[in-house]
């Protein structure tokens, strides 16, 4: 009797485990309190300091340091609760295409913005 009960409970665990293991669509992780609006993105210009960009935009999603300076990138997703507002993604998207919202800043060794481009 114990063997049958053990076999039945083992089979039940396998069946329920297999049914619940289907791939779940994960939602993007966001940087908390990092909403940005288009008006804030327009505050940054070439010639500004890196510290101003980080103060306005927050911590970059992706940063690459080179001998000539740094490349800072912020990736966004539109919010549903405010027009022209975007949430900053915590990680760089696996696929970047024409619909991806981003801000890219190239900074020289002295911390001065040499190139600023965005698509929101």
């Amino acid at each position: 009797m114990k063997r049958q009960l053990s076999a039945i409970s083992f089979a039940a665990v396998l069946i329920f485990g297999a049914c619940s293991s289907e791939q779940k669509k994960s939602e993007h992780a966001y940087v908390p309190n990092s909403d940005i609006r288009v008006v804030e993105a327009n505050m940054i210009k070439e010639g500004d300091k890196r510290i101003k960009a980080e103060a306005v935009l927050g911590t970059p999603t992706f940063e690459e340091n080179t001998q000539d300076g740094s490349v800072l990138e912020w990736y966004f997703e539109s919010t549903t609760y405010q027009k022209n507002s975007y949430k900053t993604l915590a990680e760089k998207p696996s696929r970047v295409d024409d619909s991806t919202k981003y801000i890219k800043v190239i900074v020289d060794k002295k911390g001065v913005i040499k190139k600023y481009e965005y698509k929101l």
Side-chain angles (χ1 to χ4, degrees):
M1 181 71 175
K2 286 184 179 180
R3 275 190 199 177
Q4 290 176 340
L5 188 56
S6 296
I8 291 172
S9 61
F10 181 71
V13 168
L14 285 177
I15 291 171
F16 287 120
C19 291
S20 66
S21 69
E22 71 181 60
Q23 276 187 332
K24 295 173 178 72
K25 184 178 178 185
S26 63
E27 189 174 309
H28 289 292
Y30 302 104
V31 177
N33 302 320
S34 66
D35 288 5
I36 184 168
R37 295 177 302 276
V38 175
V39 68
E40 292 164 330
N42 287 328
M43 292 173 67
I44 309 299
K45 296 174 185 62
E46 292 178 16
D48 288 342
K49 294 285 188 176
R50 172 186 175 151
I51 196 162
K52 179 180 178 183
E54 288 190 40
V56 173
L57 303 173
T59 304
T61 304
F62 176 76
E63 179 177 350
E64 181 181 12
N65 295 312
T66 64
Q67 287 182 333
D68 298 329
S70 300
V71 177
L72 309 173
E73 296 176 347
W74 289 263
Y75 291 94
F76 302 98
E77 192 170 275
S78 296
T79 61
T80 56
Y81 47 82
Q82 186 176 11
K83 187 178 178 181
N84 294 326
S85 177
Y86 304 91
K87 296 184 276 187
T88 305
L89 297 175
E91 294 181 8
K92 184 176 181 176
S94 58
R95 199 183 82 187
V96 178
D97 55 17
D98 292 339
S99 66
T100 305
K101 312 279 192 242
Y102 69 92
I103 294 177
K104 183 176 182 178
V105 176
I106 298 175
V107 181
D108 68 3
K109 291 182 204 178
K110 296 179 183 178
V112 177
I113 297 173
K114 291 297 176 192
K115 185 174 181 184
Y116 179 75
E117 61 184 57
Y118 69 93
K119 180 183 173 202
L120 295 176

